[in-house]
Amino acid sequence: MGEIVNADLPNVGYNFQQDEVFGSVEAVKTVRDLFMPVSGKIIETIDLLLKAPTLINDNPYKDGWLIKIEIKDLTELENLLTANQYKELTN
């Protein structure tokens, strides 16, 4: 996708179902939808991304995270891939 130049995130308090689009990220030549990994309510977003969206590329596990959610249904966690499964799928 290239370097992220913009992120559109939902407001705190919004509820989404698993696999529902909750926002988007934009690179120089493309925009991609973001899908909820599990159903839940947005409890926090990172304001820092509004000023520095490249943190998604540079430091995704510390300062480049997108949202924190209150999970509605813990059984949906069983549908998620492990990091290794995801890596195999995307390589």
Side-chain angles (χ1 to χ4, degrees):
M1 184 171 174
E3 187 166 328
I4 305 296
V5 296
N6 188 41
D8 180 29
L9 301 176
N11 292 326
V12 171
Y14 279 37
N15 289 286
F16 294 91
Q17 297 300 311
Q18 186 176 37
D19 298 325
E20 187 176 1
V21 173
F22 71 88
S24 63
V25 289
E26 181 181 349
V28 175
K29 295 184 179 183
T30 188
V31 176
R32 298 273 194 230
D33 288 335
L34 300 170
F35 296 90
M36 284 294 285
V38 294
S39 300
K41 178 170 73 172
I42 306 298
I43 58 172
E44 190 175 349
T45 61
I46 183 165
D47 293 334
L48 187 56
L49 286 182
L50 297 175
K51 296 177 186 171
T54 58
L55 287 172
I56 296 170
N57 299 313
D58 301 337
N59 198 355
Y61 297 107
K62 185 176 179 200
D63 296 323
W65 58 273
L66 301 173
I67 60 172
K68 292 184 182 180
I69 62 173
E70 181 180 293
I71 299 172
K72 181 179 176 183
D73 182 356
L74 292 175
T75 63
E76 291 179 349
L77 293 172
E78 297 169 9
N79 299 331
L80 302 180
L81 301 174
T82 65
N84 285 335
Q85 289 170 322
Y86 185 77
K87 192 174 191 177
E88 287 177 19
L89 184 67
T90 58
N91 285 336

